[in-house]
């Protein structure tokens, strides 16, 4: 008996809840995943969503009116596309507004610099901060410096240009400087903090991003220089004369709220089993947040919609979540990002979360599938390869352990992750800059993302695969 007939007779007997699920590797399941994949490739939902979101609301800083309005609109968008149980999960947040800022070399070499204040960096005193700079080539160098070498000065860390990598791995060492650098400099008595932008481009455009609080308090005014300006300051420092810099910022924080937007496509026979498709709604203020991360929302909503439109509803529930407030640090754990809020609010319901994935790496093509450790070499991985290989996605031996900032908080609570790794070679040319705008999205690559998500999700949603119970195929499962 075919699975379809079996399901039909089970339904007739009122036994839908007990209908046996197909295996992901069953020929009919793989075939339907391919049908869904190809329909998703032709869908225009992703381009529609990302175009509307970035055009209607522009930048969507965490906790801003713009993010709140965008969330309300996105909830309507989900409802209009057939999602059910659409709701908005609000939570308190400390918002941050950039205000006006400036940076310049003063004295004999006086010249303006292109810089941006880092997120959640405090304002300078009225009139700005003016001091001699002290340059370091790494965090370790700064940490090793005696306080007397830093006190009253502007700390400048120049790690050199970030290396563009397909998997984005050049990013980590640089974000450590952005997050923790101002705190380390402040503890040594620095007046302000400046760093080379975390980016792989040589445009005269700074990259912002959040800096962290220390013990619930903001540290010192902190800025990122555009790459050519960072080069310039480093050359000036190398001349061996004192370099004086002047920085101003009117940034401020304010009490507000952010929110997660959640919508379900309920499963046909096992609606309590949840698959989370995550992305984030907030963006930095400089661009319109097209690649970071309107694209992720576009990809996930379009993939789920392609499945809904396939004429068959999978057994399990697909849950799209546009998380609020992914980008910013907060003073305390009392407020936080949307990912943490969702995981905490779900509580025991997380036991029924089958798996979660996140799209937050732009809109360029997917090249690799990463699965939980137990799925390496499994029949599921083989079935997924049959669906994804024809569109250029290879199964990776790299295990998906973290999920991403938004879905990540569910990991320690037992939820497994999948990852569809995107080509990040040019992502950090644009990331957190004024250049993160709609025109940077390549519609063909966006469609390939939607197809990869939809095909994979069909296999997960209409099968019995249990990623928690899977044991690694061998004891030497690679982990990174
Ligand atoms: Zn992002």
């Amino acid at each position: 008996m075919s699975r379809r007939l079996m399901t039909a007779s089970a339904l007739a007997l009122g036994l839908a809840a007990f209908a046996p699920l197909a295996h992901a590797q069953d020929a009919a399941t793989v075939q339907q995943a391919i049908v869904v994949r190809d329909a998703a490739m032709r869908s225009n939902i992703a381009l529609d969503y990302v175009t509307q979101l970035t055009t209607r609301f522009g930048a969507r800083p965490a906790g801003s009116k713009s993010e709140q309005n965008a969330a309300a609109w996105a909830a309507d968008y989900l409802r209009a596309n057939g999602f059910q149980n659409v709701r908005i999960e609000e939570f308190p947040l400390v918002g941050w507004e950039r205000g006006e800022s400036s940076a310049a070399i003063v004295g004999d070499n006086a010249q303006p610099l292109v810089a941006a204040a880092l997120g959640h960096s405090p304002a300078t005193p009225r009139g700005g901060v003016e001091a001699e700079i002290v340059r370091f080539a790494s965090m370790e160098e700064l940490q090793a410096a005696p306080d007397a070498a830093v006190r009253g000065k502007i700390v400048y860390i120049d790690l050199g240009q970030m290396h563009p990598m397909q998997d984005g791995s050049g990013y980590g060492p640089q974000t450590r400087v952005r997050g923790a650098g101002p705190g380390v400099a402040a503890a040594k008595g620095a007046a302000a903090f400046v760093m080379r932008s975390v980016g792989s481009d040589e445009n005269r455009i700074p990259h912002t991003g959040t800096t962290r609080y220390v013990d619930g308090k903001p540290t010192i005014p902190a800025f990122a220089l555009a790459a050519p300006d960072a080069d310039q300051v480093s050359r000036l420092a190398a001349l061996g004369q004192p370099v004086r810099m002047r920085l101003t910022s009117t940034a401020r924080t304010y009490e507000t709220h952010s929110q997660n937007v959640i919508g379900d496509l309920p499963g046909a026979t096992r609606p309590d089993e949840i698959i989370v498709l995550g992305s984030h709604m907030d963006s930095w203020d400089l661009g319109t947040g097209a690649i970071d991360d309107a694209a992720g929302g576009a990809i996930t909503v379009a993939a789920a919609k392609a499945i809904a439109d396939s004429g068959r509803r999978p057994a399990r529930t697909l849950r799209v979540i546009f998380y609020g407030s992914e980008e910013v640090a907060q003073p305390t754990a009392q407020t936080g990002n949307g990912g943490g809020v969702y995981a905490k609010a779900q509580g025991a319901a997380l036991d029924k979360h089958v798996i979660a994935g996140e799209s937050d790496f732009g809109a360029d093509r997917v090249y690799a599938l990463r699965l939980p450790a137990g799925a390496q070499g499994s029949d599921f991985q083989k079935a997924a390869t049959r669906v994804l290989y024809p569109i250029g996605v290879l199964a990776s031996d790299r295990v998906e352990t973290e999920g991403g900032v938004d879905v990540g908080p569910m990991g320690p609570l037992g939820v497994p992750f999948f990852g569809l790794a995107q080509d990040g070679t040019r992502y950090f040319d644009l990331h957190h800059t004024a250049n993160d705008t709609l025109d940077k999205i390549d519609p063909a690559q966006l469609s390939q993302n939607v197809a990869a998500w939809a095909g994979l999700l069909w296999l997960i949603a209409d099968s019995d695969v249990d990623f928690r119970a899977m044991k690694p195929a061998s004891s030497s499962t690679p982990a990174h």
Side-chain angles (χ1 to χ4, degrees):
M1 188 183 274
S2 77
R3 198 198 71 88
R4 210 170 198 173
L5 283 173
M6 208 157 72
T7 305
S9 36
L11 278 167
L13 292 168
L15 297 173
F18 304 102
L21 276 169
H23 301 302
Q25 70 270 25
D26 290 352
T29 307
V30 171
Q31 189 48 44
Q32 183 63 13
I34 289 169
V35 168
V36 166
R37 177 199 74 193
D38 292 346
M41 192 74 90
R42 296 186 297 270
S43 162
N44 60 11
I45 293 282
L47 194 57
D48 176 61
Y49 177 90
V50 71
T51 302
Q52 289 212 50
L53 180 62
T54 56
T55 302
R56 288 172 184 274
F57 305 100
R60 303 168 301 284
S64 67
K65 260 275 165 276
S66 176
E67 189 205 30
Q68 293 163 4
N69 292 340
W73 171 85
D76 287 341
Y77 194 93
L78 290 176
R79 286 186 198 99
N81 280 285
F83 287 77
Q84 294 176 36
N85 193 21
V86 176
R87 64 258 190 220
I88 291 180
E89 182 177 57
E90 254 183 48
F91 54 92
L93 190 84
V94 175
W96 180 83
E97 274 180 7
R98 176 176 304 283
E100 301 292 321
S101 63
S102 69
I105 302 292
V106 295
D108 289 348
N109 310 106
Q111 49 190 295
L113 297 169
V114 176
L118 294 176
H120 283 254
S121 150
T124 57
R126 198 180 291 274
V129 171
E130 188 184 314
E132 192 177 316
I133 66 161
V134 52
R135 182 185 180 278
F136 299 99
S138 68
M139 274 282 279
E140 289 72 17
E141 245 185 43
L142 168 61
Q143 280 159 335
D147 291 6
V150 170
R151 194 171 301 123
K153 295 189 175 162
I154 294 174
V155 163
Y156 172 47
I157 298 190
D158 181 3
L159 234 57
Q161 196 77 343
M162 178 188 160
H163 300 289
M165 303 278 192
Q166 189 180 35
D167 69 357
S169 55
Y171 186 56
Q174 302 254 358
T175 53
R176 186 170 151 252
V177 174
R178 193 182 68 207
V184 173
K188 290 177 180 289
F193 177 88
V194 175
M195 67 181 291
R196 175 188 288 268
S197 281
V198 181
S200 48
D201 62 305
E202 274 289 355
N203 296 311
R204 208 166 180 200
I205 296 175
H207 298 238
T208 191
T210 201
T211 188
R212 294 196 197 296
Y213 290 77
V214 175
D215 298 330
K217 295 190 187 68
T219 58
I220 47 177
F223 300 78
L225 293 171
D229 298 78
D231 293 339
Q232 183 81 339
V233 173
S234 286
R235 278 193 300 267
L236 277 170
L239 295 178
Q241 305 145 5
V243 177
R244 286 186 74 78
M245 194 181 280
R246 187 164 173 279
L247 301 162
T248 68
S249 163
T250 61
R252 70 172 194 108
T253 54
Y254 63 106
E255 300 290 323
T256 182
H257 70 267
S258 182
Q259 60 282 304
N260 298 325
V261 181
I262 306 167
D264 293 344
L265 287 174
T269 54
R270 300 195 177 202
D272 58 329
E273 296 184 12
I274 309 292
I275 299 155
V276 170
L277 290 58
S279 65
H280 64 89
M281 177 57 78
D282 63 314
S283 76
W284 280 105
D285 54 339
L286 300 173
T288 64
I291 65 157
D292 187 15
D293 180 30
I299 289 160
T300 54
V301 72
K305 173 76 169 143
I307 288 175
D309 289 348
S310 71
R312 284 180 51 195
R313 184 58 65 92
R316 292 162 161 169
T317 292
L318 295 172
R319 174 168 296 169
V320 168
I321 307 180
F322 306 130
Y323 290 95
S325 184
E326 186 265 1
E327 295 284 7
V328 294
Q330 290 287 289
T332 69
Q334 263 42 66
T335 57
N337 65 32
V341 169
Y342 175 81
K344 202 188 257 182
Q346 287 295 304
L350 288 182
D351 294 346
K352 296 293 255 176
H353 283 50
V354 173
I355 198 165
E358 177 172 320
S359 178
D360 186 13
F361 207 51
D364 282 353
R365 71 180 189 90
V366 174
Y367 68 94
L369 168 66
R370 297 177 191 151
L371 292 171
Q376 293 299 330
S378 65
D379 287 338
F380 178 82
Q381 191 188 51
K382 287 172 191 153
T385 296
R386 288 168 63 193
V387 175
L388 297 177
Y389 185 87
I391 58 168
V393 183
L394 277 69
S396 171
D397 65 0
R398 183 161 153 181
V399 169
E400 185 63 51
T401 53
E402 286 168 13
V405 172
D406 286 315
V407 299
M410 291 189 281
L413 302 169
V415 180
F417 300 126
F418 67 88
L420 285 164
Q422 293 169 277
D423 184 348
T425 312
R426 65 177 191 135
Y427 183 66
F428 291 106
D429 291 355
L430 308 168
H431 181 250
H432 295 185
T433 72
N435 253 342
D436 178 1
T437 48
L438 181 64
D439 50 291
K440 308 308 182 305
I441 290 182
D442 170 5
Q445 295 195 66
L446 181 68
S447 293
Q448 187 262 9
N449 271 269
V450 179
W453 275 77
L456 177 69
L457 286 170
W458 181 269
L459 291 183
I460 296 170
D462 202 46
S463 79
D464 63 354
V465 60
D466 179 356
F467 293 101
R468 293 168 195 248
M470 275 187 178
K471 295 284 174 282
S474 79
S475 57
S476 60
T477 301
H480 299 264

